[in-house]
Amino acid sequence: MQHRRIVSHLSSVPAATDNYRMTFPSHWDDGTDPSSPDHQVHWYDERTAIIRQSLRTNFEGPFLYLLLGEERALLLDTGTGHVPLRPLIEELAGERELVIAHTHGHGDHVGGDGEFDKPVGRSAEEVAAYFGFADWPNGVVQFDLGGRVLDALAIPGHHASHLAVYDRDTRLLLSGDSLYPGRLYVFDWPAFRASVARLAAFVADGNPVEWVLGAHIELTNTPGQDYEMGDARHPDEHELQLHPDVLTELAEVVAEAGEAPVRIERDHFIVYPV
Ligand SMILES: [Zn+2]
Ligand SMILES: [Zn+2]
């Protein structure tokens, strides 16, 4: 029965075809062009916008994700709040009802909340209540945008309210600050280890991932080489997208590391206990 269920789930996922560009820009705004717009918008496919807040506006240069369904549009994160965001999001989302939620509650991900009506709260309790987690941080909950079902997992460790979002259509896994090409700040080591293990198990259990997309880039394109903290410019950035094997790698190295927090430097991420 389990096998049949997984097969039927997989067959409902559209394959990457020419109808979907499903590519990334050759170059994200890395802060080196002072005339760059406040936000760089890239349509991954016709319903998935990747938005980078310009490094010129804040050194965090966070990535925001706008996922469009037939009825609702989910904006995941509102950036640092140093530049207007709502006019852009309303233009991109059209008539759809806007849902404003977050990968987690840190200031560089919720900074623009004040522009919007009723964003989802920032605490684990509020996030659990909104999305319907009965046993936070366990379980996987579904969130339907109308013809587009997302799966959300609670992955505390970097932040108590951290979410990962899996999009069945594009097979993108949005991983926020828990996995991106940069310094993965771990504030709660046991929770982070458990979260990464759950996330890797979810992917292995019939939820194939095309790319893992996080919320920052802090590595150069030299393996394992990061920028200085707070750098306003990122020449020669690492790509945003991470191959799903990198999630497997992260799960393996934090499992092997054991119960004591330890810094782990790899080609595509640095585990950085704080
Ligand atoms: Zn964070
Ligand atoms: Zn962040």
Side-chain angles (χ1 to χ4, degrees):
M1 284 301 289
Q2 181 73 356
H3 180 66
R4 289 178 62 85
R5 183 187 69 77
I6 290 171
V7 167
S8 111
H9 170 66
L10 286 177
S11 65
S12 69
V13 179
T17 69
D18 289 339
N19 294 329
Y20 289 76
R21 292 192 304 277
M22 291 181 164
T23 57
F24 297 94
S26 59
H27 181 79
W28 291 102
D29 182 345
D30 62 1
T32 53
D33 178 359
S35 66
S36 61
D38 290 348
H39 298 94
Q40 178 181 357
V41 178
H42 174 75
W43 287 99
Y44 180 72
D45 68 13
E46 56 264 51
R47 303 197 300 173
T48 307
I50 308 173
I51 302 164
R52 186 182 209 181
Q53 184 179 331
S54 168
L55 271 165
R56 176 179 54 71
T57 68
N58 184 272
F59 73 90
E60 296 281 10
F63 289 82
L64 289 51
Y65 296 89
L66 181 68
L67 308 179
L68 306 182
E70 286 163 18
E71 289 145 31
R72 297 194 281 179
L74 173 68
L75 176 65
L76 203 58
D77 291 350
T78 60
T80 72
H82 293 86
V83 285
L85 177 64
R86 182 167 176 166
L88 171 67
I89 299 304
E90 289 187 336
E91 181 190 329
L92 300 179
E95 298 299 307
R96 296 170 183 84
E97 177 195 347
L98 263 181
V99 176
I100 311 296
H102 316 99
T103 57
H104 63 294
H106 280 151
D108 52 321
H109 301 261
V110 304
D113 276 21
E115 293 180 61
F116 295 95
D117 304 323
K118 296 186 180 171
V120 176
R122 305 169 188 184
S123 70
E125 292 75 15
E126 289 168 301
V127 174
Y130 181 82
F131 286 99
F133 284 88
D135 181 28
W136 180 282
N138 300 304
V140 181
V141 302
Q142 280 69 52
F143 191 69
D144 192 349
L145 300 175
R148 186 177 194 180
V149 177
L150 309 175
D151 296 289
L153 291 85
I155 53 166
H158 170 77
H159 187 277
S161 73
H162 208 302
L163 280 185
V165 173
Y166 175 69
D167 177 29
R168 298 179 187 182
D169 274 11
T170 57
R171 300 179 177 180
L172 295 176
L173 178 65
L174 307 181
S175 52
D177 279 7
S178 294
L179 178 53
Y180 63 89
R183 295 178 291 269
L184 312 180
Y185 297 103
V186 180
F187 294 88
D188 182 336
W189 183 258
F192 187 78
R193 289 180 79 214
S195 292
V196 169
R198 277 201 313 280
L199 191 56
F202 167 79
V203 173
D205 185 24
N207 298 288
V209 168
E210 191 79 18
W211 297 108
V212 179
L213 300 179
H216 301 281
I217 299 174
E218 294 167 351
L219 292 182
T220 71
N221 57 18
T222 301
Q225 179 69 56
D226 56 344
Y227 299 101
E228 290 291 318
M229 219 170 285
D231 263 358
R233 291 177 166 209
H234 287 184
D236 304 318
E237 280 187 328
H238 190 292
E239 290 179 335
L240 168 69
Q241 67 274 19
L242 294 175
H243 190 276
D245 286 352
V246 179
L247 171 61
T248 309
E249 179 184 352
L250 176 64
E252 287 173 357
V253 296
V254 297
E256 286 167 9
E259 294 179 5
V262 59
R263 182 168 168 167
I264 305 167
E265 298 181 8
R266 308 291 290 193
D267 283 357
H268 302 293
F269 58 83
I270 301 170
V271 178
Y272 203 100
V274 286

